[in-house]
Amino acid sequence: MTIYVAWIGEGPEPPRLLDPAIAALQREFQMAARRAWIDERSPNAFDVRRQQHSSRVILEWLAGRMPADGAKLLGVTGMDLFIPVLTFVFGEAQLAGRVAVVSTARLREPPADALVRARLAKESVHEVGHTFGLVHCASSACVMARSPALAAVDLKQDRLCPDCRSRFRDLREQSYVAARPPYPDCR
């Protein structure tokens, strides 16, 4: 199974933008991670009133584009994202689901490419972590810490803390056990 990462922004993918995110996902979740190519874009995500894109609409759209061998699908966009109760989000994921989305729109202050790539790697691991069932961490250095502002993104590392790594192992084991066929009856 593979974690797929797809550029779903307007225009071509910025050069080398996704490489650090793919490397961080592979390292943190010990799974193959690679690019997916999705030629179309979510047609109904733009909210005229807010002048932003609905991350929830994009998640629903992404769910129908999972590659056949995909475990998770992360869409990366340059469009500004929102959920109804917040003015913006860096990303959103289906908790214990299969899809997530991250935006670079607010990760570009200042617009230094290396800094944007590093922030994108952190937010990619964060959102894909939610798809594995991880929740927000109280440690501000953990990649699963909440990110209400850029300062919080810059403060955290691109890695799971020891507690979240342990939770991730437990969650993977539970999902593996739940997915196994039941043992045949013993007589």
Side-chain angles (χ1 to χ4, degrees), residues 11-181:
E13 174 189 327
R16 301 172 305 152
L17 178 66
L18 302 184
D19 295 343
I22 290 170
L25 290 167
Q26 192 159 297
R27 180 194 67 232
E28 289 307 297
F29 300 115
Q30 299 294 302
M31 294 179 69
R34 67 178 77 125
R35 278 186 171 74
W37 278 266
I38 300 175
D39 294 333
E40 58 188 315
R41 299 294 178 258
S42 176
N44 303 316
F46 186 69
D47 185 302
V48 174
R49 187 178 48 83
R50 294 185 65 134
Q51 294 293 300
Q52 293 174 298
H53 289 77
S54 168
S55 57
R56 300 229 165 118
V57 171
I58 293 174
L59 290 178
E60 291 171 13
W61 174 80
L62 278 172
R65 277 130 191 99
M66 177 69 69
D69 65 336
K72 310 291 180 186
L73 174 60
L74 173 68
V76 179
T77 181
M79 300 176 291
D80 196 23
L81 300 177
F82 78 95
I83 61 174
V85 296
L86 295 174
T87 56
F88 76 93
V89 290
F90 294 120
E92 187 177 12
Q94 294 176 329
L95 184 61
R98 297 183 73 197
V99 296
V101 62
V102 174
S103 169
T104 62
R106 297 196 184 229
L107 300 176
R108 296 188 172 280
E109 295 297 328
D113 288 346
L115 185 57
V116 173
R117 286 193 294 272
R119 289 171 173 165
L120 177 61
K122 293 175 189 180
E123 292 308 298
S124 295
V125 171
H126 180 96
E127 296 304 338
V128 172
H130 284 318
T131 68
F132 282 107
L134 293 173
V135 295
H136 287 148
C137 180
S139 170
S140 60
C142 177
V143 75
M144 292 309 298
R146 284 188 67 239
S147 303
L150 272 181
V153 176
D154 291 340
L155 183 62
K156 64 186 181 181
Q157 300 175 0
D158 65 351
R159 296 178 178 271
L160 299 171
C161 71
D163 289 344
C164 285
R165 180 160 309 287
S166 178
R167 276 187 223 114
F168 170 67
R169 286 191 199 110
D170 290 346
L171 289 166
R172 275 195 78 178
E173 178 63 25
Q174 290 169 9
S175 66
Y176 172 74
V177 169
R180 284 192 320 205

